Amino acid sequence: MNIPGFLRRQQLLGREVTSRCKTIPWTSLLEEFQCCAEDEHIVENNCNELEVYGDVRPLVCEFSRAPYSHHILAVADSDGFIKLIDANKTGGSAFIKDWRAHSSAVFDVDWSENEPKLLTASGDQTSVLWDTVQCRSIRQFTGHQASIKSVNFGRQDPSELM
């Protein structure tokens, strides 16, 4: 059984995945799940404008749903950075790019279905739509009175943001 493939399909389809009409129980997946040294991706904050003490912990990650880029993983951290990682590569070659997305922690990310766009939710009380190719903000959603904890592109209408 290819566990990473199963987990990837589970995320893409957003529902329980079956194999030959038989549900695969989560307990068996977890028992077989392993981490190897080559699977490790170090998440560091390389920004010169901040002094960082200790490790920067990722808060959320999600694979792209855009065609031909299902192997791209967005990782958001508690310092407001987004990092893109190529899951088909290992070590330093897996790193694609990173940028400062928010002035506070990024709590959630969601990829557009058909384009390399990423929606982020942050503790700085904003949500931002990003062009991940150019690492630039397309639109910023402001006016919230508290941290934004969750964001989603509409599954029926991708122009709808929730």
Side-chain angles (χ1 to χ4, degrees), residues 94-144:
F95 175 81
I96 299 171
K97 61 178 83 172
D98 66 349
W99 70 94
R100 181 77 186 255
H102 290 275
S103 62
S104 185
V106 177
F107 293 117
D108 197 18
V109 298
D110 193 37
W111 287 92
S112 169
E113 292 284 336
N114 299 316
E115 301 176 278
K117 294 180 181 173
L118 188 69
L119 188 60
T120 58
S122 174
D124 65 9
Q125 301 178 3
T126 66
S127 180
V128 179
L129 179 61
W130 294 95
D131 174 335
T132 61
V133 174
Q134 297 180 11
C135 300
R136 70 173 182 85
S137 169
I138 297 171
R139 179 147 188 214
Q140 189 171 26
F141 304 94
T142 61
H144 301 275

Side-chain angles (χ1 to χ4, degrees), residues 20-39:
R20 296 187 182 149
C21 300
K22 182 176 85 173
T23 301
I24 299 172
W26 282 105
T27 52
S28 69
L29 286 174
L30 294 176
E31 289 169 1
E32 296 180 27
F33 193 74
Q34 297 179 40
C35 291
C36 303
E38 54 270 7
D39 290 338

Side-chain angles (χ1 to χ4, degrees), residues 44-47 75 77 81-84 95-101 135:
E44 298 173 343
N45 185 341
N46 298 325
C47 183
V75 180
D77 67 32
F81 282 81
I82 302 288
K83 290 159 185 56
L84 300 183
F95 175 81
I96 299 171
K97 61 178 83 172
D98 66 349
W99 70 94
R100 181 77 186 255
C135 300

